[in-house]
Amino acid sequence: MNLPLSWLNDYMDIDVTPKEYSDKMTMSGSKVEGYESLGDSVTNVVTGKVLTCVDHPDSDHLKITTVDAGTGETLQIVCGAPNCKAGIIVPVALVGAVLPGGKIKKGKMRGVESCGMLCSHDELGITKEMLGYEPEYGILILPDDTPIGKDIRDLFGMNETVVEFEITSNRPDCFSIIGLARESASTFGKKFTIPEVKFTETDGSINDAISVEVLDKDKCKRYCARMVKNVKIGPSPSWMQQRLTACGVRPINNIVDITNYVLLEYGQPMHAFDLRDLADGKIIVRRADDGEVIKTLDGQDRKLTADDLVIADGKRAVAVAGVMGGFNSEVKDDTTTVIFESATFDAASVRLTAQRIGLRTEASSRYEKGLDYNNTVPAVERACQLVEMLGCGENVGGMIDVMGNVTDMASLPFRPDKINAFLGTDIPTDDMVKIFDALEIKTDLENMTVTPPSFRPDLAGEADIAEEVARFYGYDKIPTTLLSGEATCGRKNDRQKMQDAVGESLNAQGMNEIYTYTFVSPSIFDKLNIPADSDLRNTVKITNPLGEDTSVMRTTTIASMMDILARNYNYRNPAAKLYEIGKVFIPTGGELPDEPYKITLGMYGNKCDFYDIKGIVQTLLDDLKIEKAKYAAVTDNPTFHPGRCAKVTAGGKTLGVFGEIHPAVRRKYGIDTPVYAGELDFESVFVNINTNIKFTELPKFPAVTRDIAVLVDKTVPVADIEEIIAQSSKNLESIKLFDVYEGDRIPEDKKSVAYSVVYRASDRSLTGEEVQKSFDKAVRSLEHRLGAQLR
């Protein structure tokens, strides 16, 4: 936000240097980006009249002129501009003048003395916006009624100093000259006054010409309209153009400039409609129809949805509410009657509409921060006053004012002792009240409450009120104190500790950690062979994605792992062993999804196989002290090879799945070698961690080892055999598989499985009979439950 200091003086007296002003405003919480004195690069340039103009005797393009620059003597200046002629008034840089291009000195040109320079607009740093028209090539020719000897900086408002502020989104009131003036007055302890707005109304009433209907009072908080007739379209006066230009706004014509002037001064966006373009004499504030198209003032067609708010007449939309007016109702050179619109729209609605149609304007940037509905009437009345001041129309009597659904600012507790304790100060209550009065915050000392004004939506709690006191009391006056209170030591929670433990275990196994994006493409489900009716396809969709490839939140991390493995494979890395601890996003039907963590594994190369990734999972679970984990074959997971996939369970919960990626899946990722991956549920793993670790003495009594080999069907998992043997004796210490054999002298549908079984008691030496009894029980159970045959 640019603030011309001369404009600031309309509301308060400011008598400090730009640097002092900037420093003190920064100290009171208004961030100043910098300041610029527009005329510093141009000095000693005045207006002058060319008295005579003759050709240079020794040049085919130079001319010798005599100029009256109001100095009391006639100056001889040599000029090369093609449009130089006698009788015109031009900018004259006197000897010693400073221009953006350098200093002007007395000299000779082709033997003829030249005492100065006649200047073009470019040489002075004057833009066509400052002029209000496109100047011709050559020196700048000024209007014939321009006084002689006038400083060019005064003529074009170049003596202005402009301070640039960075306005935070929570202070929409400061997106205006009046808002910054209020802050400035409070900072410097000056009186702040908004001049009274007065204007004359003609006979008649706006209600005879137009009606206003607001159909969506949640999105339109307030709508005000006034009418001006006998409009005379033309350029606005130089003082208005100079102020607009200093604020970075291009002057257009008097009516449009008035709306922009009020926008800057009051922070209230306005729009002017040509009355003859409003069908049926109606203004209707409604939601757009799905697919409705409107051509905006920039000449672009904008396609709207039912979530967008428009200003319509009796037949069509004529403006996108809070964003930009329509091309079909703009003010034209022959406009004779205009309707001034001053309204307040819902901030979120304007923001979403501007974002959806890709159009951000000065109006939308203010609306989306939340404007004060009480500012609409003063703003439109100021516009009417400017119409009368500029003599560009007559204000028709009456105003249409339609109120939407609004809420008043809530009162807040005022506890001076708490504010002082919070700030570490000893500020008297009276001083706090004075600060509140300057900021137009109402104080009720009887009930000890304060009520913020409607233009301060950021004041929502006691801490906000305390901040106002601190800002204007002076941050530099608050004494420096050491922190007090009990210190607390930061520590990781149990789940964070588990993440560290998972990382340590996997790193120790030679795996490298990766991080991947959580937003993915919907096409990943097809690449992973996931069925169309799978719950994994129910995703959280991103409202404003960067593109189709990042339009949904992932429900599985396997696709992200496959992307990284494929990238490494395409970079010709011979092998990769990777892991990630990351989130997936599961819709719940509520406002927010569940965000569980997954432990994802992935590897290829170095002749790895199914048992390598199973060993990694087993080692991880052992390191995490998860007991009695069970593994079972999985044949119906379409992402994995049907014969090389398993799930792991513990404590009645499925911890996850792992195995070889289906060849069809890996080929979709461009990988021509076997790939092994796994996905474990972090929370299921966490709840199965055994935290009750007990010390066990070394055994005092000897162990008895028996080997057992049985013939079973090929389809029988060895885990089932181990479980039956383990249940046969309470003295069983360990079971170790040492052989699986298929082939000679073994039926084709059978396999031989051999174990080494260790028995040991903690309180005595086992007898041969006890061991044999347990062994025989195991054999009988295997025969009965699995049809096993002892070899």
Side-chain angles (χ1 to χ4, degrees):
M1 176 74 189
N2 289 345
L3 172 67
L5 290 184
S6 65
W7 203 345
L8 179 65
N9 276 307
D10 288 357
Y11 305 98
M12 60 169 290
D13 294 326
I14 189 73
D15 53 1
V16 296
T17 66
K19 186 178 187 309
E20 291 173 331
Y21 175 78
S22 301
D23 290 345
K24 199 157 186 179
M25 288 297 289
T26 298
M27 287 302 297
S28 67
S30 299
K31 184 180 180 183
V32 176
E33 291 289 313
Y35 63 87
E36 178 185 8
S37 296
L38 302 181
D40 281 355
S41 59
V42 178
T43 61
N44 210 21
V45 180
V46 298
T47 57
K49 184 173 185 178
V50 179
L51 303 177
T52 63
C53 180
V54 297
D55 292 337
H56 194 294
D58 208 16
S59 173
D60 60 353
H61 72 282
L62 294 178
K63 297 178 181 180
I64 303 172
T65 68
T66 57
V67 179
D68 176 11
T71 60
E73 60 177 328
T74 300
L75 305 175
Q76 178 177 284
I77 299 175
V78 178
C79 178
N83 63 339
C84 183
K85 58 186 177 181
I88 60 175
I89 298 176
V90 295
V92 181
L94 304 176
V95 174
V98 175
L99 300 180
K103 191 173 183 179
I104 302 302
K105 299 179 181 179
K106 185 176 182 180
K108 289 185 177 183
M109 299 184 70
R110 298 284 180 93
V112 177
E113 186 177 63
S114 181
C115 301
M117 184 177 79
L118 306 185
C119 303
S120 69
H121 70 287
D122 284 334
E123 290 166 331
L124 298 172
I126 296 174
T127 64
K128 63 181 181 180
E129 286 78 20
M130 296 169 68
L131 293 171
Y133 59 89
E134 183 72 51
E136 62 180 288
Y137 176 75
I139 56 176
L140 176 61
I141 299 177
L142 301 172
D144 293 339
D145 59 352
T146 304
I148 304 299
K150 186 175 180 65
D151 192 318
I152 202 72
R153 294 179 301 182
D154 294 334
L155 190 64
F156 288 101
M158 297 171 66
N159 281 321
E160 184 67 82
T161 297
V162 177
V163 181
E164 181 183 358
F165 287 88
E166 179 186 327
I167 309 299
T168 55
S169 58
N170 68 324
R171 291 300 304 273
D173 59 304
C174 287
F175 272 94
S176 65
I177 305 298
I178 289 177
L180 290 174
R182 185 183 290 109
E183 289 284 304
S184 301
S186 297
T187 299
F188 288 92
K190 300 281 188 176
K191 183 179 180 181
F192 166 72
T193 305
I194 299 177
E196 185 180 1
V197 175
K198 292 182 178 180
F199 57 90
T200 304
E201 294 181 336
T202 63
D203 293 337
S205 172
I206 184 176
N207 294 290
D208 297 332
I210 197 164
S211 64
V212 175
E213 183 180 9
V214 177
L215 300 182
D216 193 329
K217 293 192 175 183
D218 288 325
K219 289 193 173 186
C220 180
K221 306 296 184 181
R222 191 172 192 177
Y223 194 99
C224 298
R226 274 194 173 271
M227 188 168 77
V228 179
K229 66 179 182 179
N230 298 329
V231 171
K232 303 177 185 67
I233 301 296
S236 52
S238 59
W239 63 267
M240 179 175 282
Q241 293 190 33
Q242 290 166 11
R243 284 188 169 181
L244 292 175
T245 303
C247 291
V249 177
R250 179 175 62 89
I252 298 175
N253 60 51
N254 46 17
I255 295 298
V256 175
D257 289 353
I258 284 173
T259 61
N260 287 333
Y261 191 90
V262 173
L263 167 71
L264 295 170
E265 187 176 35
Y266 280 73
Q268 172 62 47
M270 290 186 59
H271 185 65
F273 295 105
D274 190 329
L275 177 61
R276 63 188 173 180
D277 292 327
L278 298 178
D280 302 331
K282 291 182 178 180
I283 291 178
I284 303 172
V285 185
R286 61 170 173 81
R287 293 189 181 221
D289 297 326
D290 261 328
E292 186 172 2
V293 177
I294 179 174
K295 179 182 285 189
T296 46
L297 286 173
D298 58 357
Q300 300 293 316
D301 288 335
R302 312 286 179 177
K303 188 175 182 180
L304 306 177
T305 71
D307 292 326
D308 302 319
L309 193 69
V310 297
I311 312 300
D313 59 17
K315 297 180 179 179
R316 63 196 172 164
V318 294
V320 182
V323 182
M324 184 177 279
F327 191 80
N328 52 20
S329 62
E330 68 173 340
V331 173
K332 296 168 279 292
D333 291 341
D334 60 346
T335 296
T336 59
T337 306
V338 299
I339 302 297
F340 280 137
E341 169 194 278
S342 178
T344 307
F345 303 109
D346 178 67
S349 174
V350 173
R351 167 69 174 172
L352 292 173
T353 295
Q355 192 173 44
R356 186 181 299 113
I357 67 177
L359 182 61
R360 198 160 188 263
T361 61
E362 286 287 338
S364 67
S365 66
R366 284 169 168 80
Y367 274 123
E368 66 190 28
K369 293 172 177 62
L371 296 185
D372 176 17
Y373 69 90
N374 286 321
N375 199 31
T376 55
V377 173
V380 75
E381 290 184 341
R382 173 61 167 158
C384 292
Q385 182 187 39
L386 290 171
V387 166
E388 188 172 293
M389 288 175 60
L390 272 56
C392 58
E394 300 175 9
N395 295 304
V396 176
M399 177 181 68
I400 297 176
D401 184 4
V402 180
M403 189 71 75
N405 297 328
V406 297
T407 54
D408 293 328
M409 296 293 290
S411 296
L412 301 171
F414 175 37
R415 295 182 283 183
D417 291 342
K418 185 174 181 179
I419 292 175
N420 278 321
F422 183 66
L423 300 177
T425 56
D426 190 18
I427 304 172
T429 300
D430 290 344
D431 291 351
M432 294 185 189
V433 173
K434 289 179 182 178
I435 292 173
F436 295 152
D437 288 344
L439 296 171
E440 300 181 32
I441 300 173
K442 296 180 181 179
T443 307
D444 183 350
L445 293 179
E446 182 177 348
N447 297 309
M448 293 306 289
T449 60
V450 292
T451 306
S454 56
F455 57 79
R456 291 297 303 275
D458 58 305
L459 302 182
E462 286 188 81
D464 301 318
I465 296 298
E467 182 184 9
E468 297 304 293
V469 173
R471 286 201 302 131
F472 295 105
Y473 172 73
Y475 290 120
D476 54 330
K477 295 180 183 178
I478 298 176
T480 301
T481 56
L482 294 174
L483 292 174
S484 60
E486 296 182 2
T488 57
C489 296
R491 64 180 183 86
K492 293 184 177 181
N493 60 35
D494 292 338
R495 285 171 175 77
Q496 291 170 327
K497 290 177 182 178
M498 177 185 153
Q499 287 190 24
D500 292 344
V502 170
E504 290 172 2
S505 175
L506 296 177
N507 287 330
Q509 296 183 68
M511 305 194 79
N512 296 302
E513 186 174 11
I514 62 171
Y515 292 90
T516 59
Y517 291 118
T518 55
F519 35 83
V520 296
S521 168
S523 65
I524 67 166
F525 303 111
D526 293 331
K527 294 177 75 173
L528 294 177
N529 286 348
I530 293 175
D533 59 351
S534 172
D535 290 339
L536 292 177
R537 289 182 179 264
N538 181 22
T539 60
V540 176
K541 296 174 179 60
I542 299 174
T543 304
N544 55 338
L546 297 175
E548 181 67 17
D549 288 343
T550 55
S551 59
V552 299
M553 304 303 291
R554 66 186 180 188
T555 54
T556 175
T557 54
I558 294 292
S560 302
M561 177 60 71
M562 289 299 296
D563 283 334
I564 303 303
L565 291 174
R567 185 178 305 170
N568 279 270
Y569 182 79
N570 292 329
Y571 286 165
R572 300 184 184 279
N573 289 334
K577 293 178 68 176
L578 309 174
Y579 77 92
E580 179 184 16
I581 304 173
K583 287 182 178 181
V584 295
F585 297 79
I586 309 300
T588 61
E591 185 175 351
L592 296 175
D594 284 337
E595 300 180 22
Y597 278 96
K598 299 290 183 179
I599 304 168
T600 315
L601 312 173
M603 57 195 295
Y604 72 84
N606 288 340
K607 298 181 179 179
C608 63
D609 58 18
F610 172 83
Y611 295 104
D612 287 307
I613 193 165
K614 182 184 178 186
I616 290 172
V617 174
Q618 284 182 309
T619 302
L620 173 62
L621 299 184
D622 288 343
D623 290 344
L624 296 176
K625 304 298 187 293
I626 295 178
E627 300 175 343
K628 298 181 181 179
K630 298 179 181 180
Y631 300 87
V634 175
T635 60
D636 59 352
N637 190 319
T639 302
F640 291 90
H641 191 296
R644 298 167 192 164
C645 178
K647 68 177 180 179
V648 56
T649 59
K653 289 182 176 290
T654 299
L655 306 186
V657 63
F658 61 89
E660 180 181 339
I661 294 295
H662 198 290
V665 172
R666 63 172 166 79
R667 282 195 290 270
K668 292 178 184 178
Y669 284 90
I671 304 176
D672 295 328
T673 189
V675 175
Y676 298 88
E679 186 180 60
L680 305 179
D681 181 66
F682 185 92
E683 191 64 26
S684 297
V685 172
F686 175 78
V687 298
N688 278 283
I689 293 176
N690 180 17
T691 58
N692 187 25
I693 306 299
K694 295 182 178 180
F695 168 75
T696 303
E697 292 182 346
L698 291 174
K700 297 178 180 179
F701 300 96
V704 177
T705 302
R706 292 289 182 92
D707 292 342
I708 181 173
V710 292
L711 203 65
V712 294
D713 292 341
K714 285 184 177 180
T715 58
V716 174
V718 294
D720 290 352
I721 301 174
E722 293 177 5
E723 183 177 2
I724 292 173
I725 296 174
Q727 294 172 352
S728 66
S729 174
K730 64 179 181 180
N731 293 319
L732 189 140
E733 182 176 81
S734 66
I735 307 170
K736 184 177 181 181
L737 175 70
F738 67 83
D739 182 56
V740 177
Y741 175 72
E742 298 176 18
D744 190 29
R745 291 184 293 177
I746 299 294
E748 289 186 2
D749 61 341
K750 300 289 184 178
K751 63 182 176 182
S752 173
V753 183
Y755 288 93
S756 177
V757 184
V758 178
Y759 297 92
R760 190 198 306 266
S762 61
D763 56 349
R764 69 188 189 283
S765 293
L766 293 174
T767 65
E769 292 79 6
E770 288 179 298
V771 173
Q772 187 62 42
K773 184 177 180 181
S774 298
F775 185 83
D776 292 341
K777 181 179 179 182
V779 172
R780 287 194 302 272
S781 297
L782 291 171
E783 291 174 346
H784 175 69
R785 295 171 62 179
L786 300 179
Q789 301 174 29
L790 184 66
R791 292 190 68 198

